[in-house]
Amino acid sequence: MISFKKICLGLLFFCAVSLTGYAQDSTSTDDLTFTEIKPETTDTTVKAAETINKVADSTTTDSKKLAPQPEAQKTLWGIFIAGFVGGLAALLMPCIFPMLPLTVSFFTKGSEKGKAFGRAALYGFFIILIYVVLGLLVTVIFGADALNNLSTNGIFNFFFFLLLVVFAASFLGAFEITLPSSWVNKMDANSDKGGIAGLFFMAGTLALVSFSCTGPIIGTLLVQAATTGALLGPAIGMFGFSLALAIPFALFALFPSAMQKLPKSGGWLNSVKVVLGFLELAFALKFLSNVDLAYHWEWFDREIFLALWIVIFGMMGIYLLGKLKFSHDSPLNSISVPRLFLATIVLAFTVYLIPGMWGAPLRSVSAFLPPQETQDFDLYTSGLLTGKSTTNDGPHKYADKFHAPLKLNAYFDYEEGLAQAKKQNKPVLIDFTGHACVNCRKMEANVWPDRDILKMISEDYILIQLYVDDKSELAPADVVTTPEGKKLNTIGKKWSDLQARKFQSNSQPFYVLLDPKTEALLAHPQGADYEIANYKKFLESGLNAFK
């Protein structure tokens, strides 16, 4: 049984890491209204709006042919899986694991097998109901529009960063997040009632009593689900979490003999909390990075992010070896082989991160890191471009705010890039991207550095990168006013509006190949595709159509 405990600890680490496997990969534009200029609009505003309207009208027929984007469905599946994994992790918390055999024995004692399973299943249903309602309340409280803006809102992202740091401190043993004892007492008193009402209040008691352990996990899931912009995200996340939490109660009621194979409670449960605390701390840095990028603070760059990750995962490895202890830890006279293996994996991952301080791409985690171009000392990009000429036709608009990956000669304004493409008689590659887009970073780190792809982007195309989540204010001449009087006064709003109206898409990355003279599509637009061969065919098809 001892080895089973350690295996659970090892599985928890990998499961918890997968919680960060889905992140903001899109910026919703549901709150944007398509632009139509009023007669009284100023000349400069008319000019900006006419340019955008011209772009939208030129491919109206093509945009209607586009199939509905599957990104929303993929996001909801990712939220559900992360919630389910979080529920499995919660089962191994000190507040829940010891309650599992006690609760199941209550259902099976003096009851027939079928009746015990029915009561446990109803108990599990009420657990799911309580947490799903909690997820729906998040949507009701914040509202659909707020959820759509959470992923790039600086105040919310900084608040989420602080919130996850608090959760991490709780898991590391600094304090416990508890609910008022009066709530627990009232719920427990009502659980003595018989029938369905008693089972409901029993489920409520579990939710309240275990909040000190599950609260940080639930909070992290709700934050991640909310910042995806998906309206049902919080409810779907809580459904996955509660489903994983409820299934064991029903299964063990059906097969009570399996309870004997469970490991006994002990100090290993606290080790689970501490490992999750380290992971919460590492995950919190992503939200701080989002704020830094969207508002161009330019102080939380790639080196600082990696340095903190190296220290965090290094301390986690040392903890697993028993060389670092916290106040709630039990004495550890020796470590088991599974725990040694887990420590080896964590420390190996720490060593893997170290070359990133000198610019190594770290492709397995590149999606979560700040962009490569924020690296001050980058030997990788310099080596990649050795012997290759980098053309630059002078300063570009917004070049002081944005930096293209791999030192590409990119434009950050649609009109300017289109004019240059006409001048050089080259097709246009539009990259709708975002600061908080993890899939964008993964494409730039794993696909674009390919020799053939990099050559086509740099020599055969005019690259236009449009950041849909940037918070920089537009110059008065570039501001667009909607018929309702709403002003698209930031760079991100302007390009979000363009992407939504022209291509009926609001996910990133989104790659579009255009003929600069007719502004017609050269190929069907596509999103992230990490197969280099597929992306190469996509670029080649645009070149062939242009020629």
Side-chain angles (χ1 to χ4, degrees), residues 219-231:
T220 303
L221 286 171
L222 288 176
V223 166
Q224 268 299 90
T227 53
T228 61
L231 183 61

Side-chain angles (χ1 to χ4, degrees), residues 295-315:
Y295 289 88
H296 303 284
W297 294 348
E298 297 184 356
W299 60 267
F300 194 62
D301 58 16
R302 194 169 182 266
E303 290 102 326
I304 296 177
F305 190 100
L306 280 172
L308 290 172
W309 264 31
I310 290 169
V311 172
I312 290 171
F313 285 101
M315 288 192 297

Side-chain angles (χ1 to χ4, degrees), residues 441-472:
R441 304 291 84 78
K442 189 173 180 180
M443 285 291 294
E444 293 166 3
N446 296 359
V447 178
W448 283 21
D450 177 78
R451 181 182 61 182
D452 295 332
I453 291 177
L454 183 59
K455 181 177 182 297
M456 280 191 284
I457 295 177
S458 61
E459 298 180 9
D460 301 328
Y461 281 96
I462 294 297
L463 174 63
I464 303 177
Q465 284 196 302
L466 303 179
Y467 282 80
V468 301
D469 60 357
D470 192 76
K471 303 301 181 183
S472 301

Side-chain angles (χ1 to χ4, degrees), residues 59 98 177 208 226 284 296 321 360 373 381 417 452 454 471 495:
T59 57
I177 302 174
L208 295 180
H296 303 284
L321 290 175
E373 57 268 21
T381 303
D452 295 332
L454 183 59
K471 303 301 181 183
W495 303 137

